[in-house]
Amino acid sequence: MDVDKKYFKNISNRERAIFEGAITMGALFHQFIGTPVNLKSASNLEKSIKIAMELQPCIDEVEVKINRELLEESKSEFDYVSLSGEMMNVKVISNYDGKKAVLMMEYIDELKYPLMYVKDIYE
Amino acid sequence: MDVDKKYFKNISNRERAIFEGAITMGALFHQFIGTPVNLKSASNLEKSIKIAMELQPCIDEVEVKINRELLEESKSEFDYVSLSGEMMNVKVISNYDGKKAVLMMEYIDELKYPLMYVKDIYE
Amino acid sequence: MDVDKKYFKNISNRERAIFEGAITMGALFHQFIGTPVNLKSASNLEKSIKIAMELQPCIDEVEVKINRELLEESKSEFDYVSLSGEMMNVKVISNYDGKKAVLMMEYIDELKYPLMYVKDIYE
Amino acid sequence: MDVDKKYFKNISNRERAIFEGAITMGALFHQFIGTPVNLKSASNLEKSIKIAMELQPCIDEVEVKINRELLEESKSEFDYVSLSGEMMNVKVISNYDGKKAVLMMEYIDELKYPLMYVKDIYE
């Protein structure tokens, strides 16, 4: 089956890159939110999220940074915390046939919200 | 803050609708996969996923159908099963300033994959 | 297969009730953390979590209360928030052959932690 | 605060080990089900689940094995699959004040269910 012809002919290559990057952003957030994490485990978790999410279709690269200060501040009596949107800074680079979209997720204090947006598009 | 001006001026309204719909698709899948479900609880879960995911930005409507046959076939000795991508059929309608995107997720046997795609765009 | 004889003969009925209740507590938290929720959707989500988690083995009853004040306080510019452990108060009643365990999860400010514990056991 | 005195005096040390191990089993399953995985990423994911779940209270050790044959068999056109209960074999060793519980999760074909049980208790 030619998946692209059958299912994606009504959007442009640029739109396809945006579409696939956005799926991965939403997926990443809702898959990993809640994972136990602390200062010692943070870099392992960052890398593991990267490796898992780079498997998704049309994803060139995923970078995850977990805010170490927030991690330390919010840690419980039991020396870890559940990963939350406030702590994460994510970059996803998606690519469809040479059109690249750079998507970001960052927590915007003023909005009290982990905002996902398209930072750049390269054609 | 004018979020749209600050963060979204490099994509079109049509691309924005695709972007927001795709985030919600990825989010929905990875949030609810694994939820215990059976024939009795399926319609409640469908509605609850709909209500939760319609809260996301620019989402007009979410429809979830859980495949009752597959639910029945795959149920365990304990009379329920963990929700999987194979069982779900999802429609998400996103809307940004009048540009509407209709996104679908359906399990394609030939691909062995719950494919997300853009079915229609109304401008 | 006699599951109980094959897999559970090395723990008492009282321990089995604790075991099954604790699984459901851990499962509930990590399944639903991150779900979009606001004041309007909270009661629907509470009920849906209850219905899903009561499907698990040996579970008599699940009660979920989402803290409305915290929900309102923490809501984002987009009028909803991701469900977090801080907002949830959960009771799980498990039962194995008449031994009942009442398990609680509540956020303890002093510990900065959503503590799960066994409140009562009825034999 | 003496958490143990305040919240756990109505269960024995042995029951506490069972309780904490069971929470971690339920948590592990519902946190990581749905994660994208393939043959290349499986060992990274196994380790990352181990590291995350060993942070939970009273957990000495977690071992996760993802079934490589099932992974290969069930992989989609896109060369990965969502982690499911069928693929996982998990051991959790919990410990409270010297009482150790060894908990297992394994998929039992006859039950069509990823069964969690207590394999051994050391006192």
Side-chain angles (χ1 to χ4, degrees):
Chain A
M1 189 198 311
D2 185 333
V3 176
D4 291 348
K5 258 201 188 147
K6 185 156 183 192
Y7 292 102
F8 292 102
K9 64 183 179 207
N10 56 352
I11 60 173
S12 70
N13 292 354
R14 179 182 147 121
E15 286 166 345
R16 180 73 183 280
I18 293 170
F19 177 74
E20 299 291 351
I23 288 171
T24 290
M25 270 293 182
L28 187 158
F29 185 94
H30 289 270
Q31 182 63 55
F32 292 100
I33 284 296
T35 305
V37 62
N38 68 8
L39 278 182
K40 273 189 206 158
S41 72
S43 67
N44 173 276
L45 183 56
E46 287 169 343
K47 197 174 169 195
S48 187
I49 296 175
K50 172 192 175 68
I51 289 173
M53 301 316 293
E54 286 181 351
L55 296 178
Q56 302 236 141
C58 308
I59 302 302
D60 267 13
E61 199 183 339
V62 173
E63 267 182 55
V64 180
K65 284 184 198 154
I66 297 171
N67 186 326
R68 303 301 199 271
E69 274 177 57
L70 214 51
L71 207 58
E72 192 58 14
E73 264 173 53
S74 57
K75 87 175 174 193
S76 73
E77 186 72 14
F78 299 99
D79 199 27
Y80 76 96
V81 70
S82 286
L83 185 66
S84 75
E86 220 171 326
M87 297 171 197
M88 280 199 285
N89 195 298
V90 180
K91 182 198 279 189
V92 169
I93 302 179
S94 56
N95 184 343
Y96 184 76
D97 202 23
K99 307 287 182 186
K100 277 197 186 194
V102 182
L103 286 76
M104 303 295 301
M105 182 182 90
E106 54 186 81
Y107 192 81
I108 312 291
D109 285 326
E110 199 183 331
L111 305 174
K112 299 168 74 177
Y113 193 74
L115 190 71
M116 300 174 185
Y117 62 95
V118 180
K119 195 179 180 190
D120 284 305
I121 300 190
Y122 300 105
E123 319 202 32
Chain B
M1 189 200 307
D2 186 332
V3 176
D4 291 347
K5 259 200 187 146
K6 186 156 181 190
Y7 291 101
F8 292 101
K9 64 184 177 206
N10 56 351
I11 60 173
S12 69
N13 291 355
R14 178 180 147 122
E15 286 167 345
R16 179 73 183 280
I18 293 170
F19 177 75
E20 299 291 351
I23 289 172
T24 290
M25 270 292 182
L28 187 158
F29 185 93
H30 289 269
Q31 183 62 56
F32 292 101
I33 283 296
T35 305
V37 62
N38 68 8
L39 279 181
K40 271 189 205 159
S41 73
S43 67
N44 175 276
L45 183 56
E46 289 170 341
K47 196 173 171 197
S48 189
I49 295 176
K50 171 191 176 66
I51 289 173
M53 301 316 293
E54 287 182 351
L55 295 178
Q56 301 236 140
C58 308
I59 302 303
D60 267 14
E61 199 182 338
V62 173
E63 268 182 56
V64 180
K65 283 184 200 155
I66 298 170
N67 186 327
R68 301 303 199 272
E69 273 176 58
L70 214 51
L71 207 57
E72 194 56 14
E73 264 173 54
S74 56
K75 84 174 177 194
S76 72
E77 185 72 16
F78 299 100
D79 198 26
Y80 76 96
V81 71
S82 287
L83 185 66
S84 74
E86 221 171 325
M87 296 171 198
M88 279 199 286
N89 193 298
V90 180
K91 181 197 283 188
V92 169
I93 303 179
S94 56
N95 184 345
Y96 183 77
D97 202 23
K99 307 286 181 187
K100 279 198 185 191
V102 181
L103 287 74
M104 302 297 299
M105 182 181 90
E106 53 186 82
Y107 192 80
I108 312 292
D109 285 325
E110 199 183 330
L111 306 173
K112 296 169 75 178
Y113 193 74
L115 189 72
M116 300 175 186
Y117 62 96
V118 179
K119 196 179 179 192
D120 285 305
I121 300 190
Y122 301 105
E123 320 205 27
Chain C
M1 189 198 310
D2 186 332
V3 177
D4 291 347
K5 259 199 186 145
K6 185 156 183 192
Y7 292 102
F8 292 101
K9 66 184 178 209
N10 56 351
I11 60 173
S12 70
N13 291 355
R14 178 181 147 122
E15 287 166 344
R16 178 74 183 279
I18 293 171
F19 177 74
E20 300 290 351
I23 288 171
T24 290
M25 270 292 183
L28 186 158
F29 185 92
H30 289 270
Q31 182 63 57
F32 291 101
I33 283 298
T35 306
V37 62
N38 68 9
L39 279 181
K40 273 189 204 158
S41 72
S43 68
N44 174 276
L45 183 56
E46 287 170 343
K47 197 173 171 197
S48 187
I49 296 175
K50 171 192 176 68
I51 289 174
M53 301 315 295
E54 286 181 352
L55 295 178
Q56 302 235 141
C58 307
I59 302 302
D60 267 13
E61 198 183 338
V62 173
E63 266 182 57
V64 180
K65 282 184 199 155
I66 297 171
N67 185 326
R68 302 303 199 271
E69 274 177 57
L70 214 50
L71 206 57
E72 192 56 14
E73 263 174 54
S74 57
K75 86 174 173 195
S76 72
E77 185 73 14
F78 298 99
D79 201 26
Y80 75 95
V81 70
S82 286
L83 186 67
S84 75
E86 220 171 325
M87 297 170 198
M88 280 198 287
N89 195 298
V90 180
K91 182 198 280 190
V92 169
I93 303 179
S94 55
N95 184 344
Y96 184 76
D97 202 24
K99 307 287 181 186
K100 279 197 187 194
V102 181
L103 286 75
M104 303 296 299
M105 181 182 89
E106 54 186 80
Y107 192 81
I108 312 291
D109 284 326
E110 199 183 330
L111 306 174
K112 296 167 75 178
Y113 193 75
L115 190 71
M116 298 174 186
Y117 61 95
V118 180
K119 196 179 179 190
D120 285 306
I121 299 190
Y122 302 104
E123 321 204 30
Chain D
M1 187 200 309
D2 186 332
V3 175
D4 290 348
K5 258 199 186 147
K6 186 155 182 192
Y7 291 102
F8 292 101
K9 64 184 179 211
N10 55 351
I11 60 174
S12 71
N13 291 355
R14 178 181 147 119
E15 287 166 345
R16 180 73 183 279
I18 294 170
F19 177 74
E20 300 290 351
I23 289 173
T24 289
M25 270 293 183
L28 187 158
F29 184 93
H30 289 270
Q31 183 62 56
F32 292 101
I33 283 297
T35 304
V37 63
N38 68 9
L39 279 181
K40 274 190 204 158
S41 73
S43 68
N44 174 276
L45 183 57
E46 287 169 344
K47 196 173 171 197
S48 189
I49 295 175
K50 171 192 176 67
I51 289 174
M53 301 316 293
E54 286 181 351
L55 295 178
Q56 302 236 141
C58 307
I59 302 303
D60 268 12
E61 200 183 338
V62 174
E63 266 182 57
V64 180
K65 284 184 199 153
I66 297 170
N67 186 326
R68 301 303 198 271
E69 273 176 60
L70 214 51
L71 208 57
E72 193 56 14
E73 264 173 53
S74 58
K75 87 173 173 195
S76 72
E77 184 73 14
F78 299 99
D79 199 27
Y80 76 95
V81 70
S82 287
L83 185 67
S84 75
E86 220 170 325
M87 297 172 198
M88 281 199 286
N89 195 298
V90 180
K91 182 199 279 190
V92 168
I93 304 179
S94 55
N95 183 345
Y96 184 76
D97 202 25
K99 307 286 183 188
K100 279 198 186 191
V102 181
L103 287 76
M104 302 297 298
M105 182 180 90
E106 54 186 81
Y107 192 82
I108 312 292
D109 284 325
E110 198 182 331
L111 306 174
K112 297 167 73 177
Y113 193 74
L115 190 71
M116 300 174 186
Y117 61 95
V118 181
K119 195 178 180 192
D120 285 307
I121 299 189
Y122 301 105
E123 321 204 27

